[in-house]
Amino acid sequence: MPTPADMHAFGIALGSELGAGDLIVLTGPLGAGKTTLTRGIGEGLGVRGPVTSPTFVLARTHPSLVGGAPLVHVDAYRLSSALEVDDLDLDLDNSVVIIEWGHEVAGVLADSWWEITIARPTAGAAEDADVESEPRSVRIERVSAV
């Protein structure tokens, strides 16, 4: 994805294919585009926005405006244990759930999920790197806890 606009457009296309019960784990460094992708997914699902990072609230629910599944956007970065995600009481069966930094907690929530990994070449590089326009690569795979 060469630009944030491309990441957003990819999210819109992906969101139009998702439905209740889908769990997506987003992995990538800070600034990779996880929230930009989620914003596009929310648009593709037709949910109420704005979709913003849930870092300080841990989880945000965005109800559908078109009669579809709501989007539950979770940031697991500050969770100290995988068991803490259970305290969030997520409606996995009736929602599309996206968990940023959720690799360690996904197996507690579901038997399988979609894992989307976003990479950028200068992740962790000097602060003067142009991370906004830097191309990203995206890998999508189906993961099973078993």
Side-chain angles (χ1 to χ4, degrees):
M1 305 290 142
T3 69
D6 293 330
M7 185 69 75
H8 183 84
F10 172 62
I12 293 170
L14 182 58
S16 70
E17 300 296 322
L18 297 172
D22 284 327
L23 173 62
I24 294 116
V25 173
L26 295 180
T27 304
L30 288 172
K34 295 180 295 295
T35 300
T36 299
L37 177 61
T38 303
R39 192 172 296 119
I41 290 171
E43 190 173 328
L45 287 169
V47 301
R48 185 176 68 213
V51 174
T52 59
S53 176
T55 299
F56 297 106
V57 295
L58 299 181
R60 281 197 168 91
T61 299
H62 299 274
S64 177
L65 298 173
V66 296
L71 170 64
V72 178
H73 186 195
V74 180
D75 188 327
Y77 184 77
R78 294 187 311 127
L79 297 178
S80 60
S81 120
L83 297 177
E84 285 183 6
V85 77
D86 193 44
D87 291 339
L88 297 175
D89 198 27
L90 303 173
D91 186 3
L92 294 164
D93 293 332
N94 299 305
S95 305
V96 172
V97 177
I98 297 176
I99 304 178
E100 295 186 26
W101 307 98
H103 184 72
E104 299 297 321
V105 302
V108 172
L109 297 173
D111 293 332
S112 62
W113 59 92
W114 293 101
E115 186 147 333
I116 300 176
T117 304
I118 305 169
R120 55 184 181 87
T122 60
E127 288 183 28
D128 61 347
D130 184 10
V131 297
E132 183 69 21
S133 63
E134 180 181 50
R136 274 80 165 153
S137 62
V138 177
R139 186 182 82 232
I140 302 172
E141 63 182 314
R142 189 73 172 158
V143 178
S144 176
V146 183

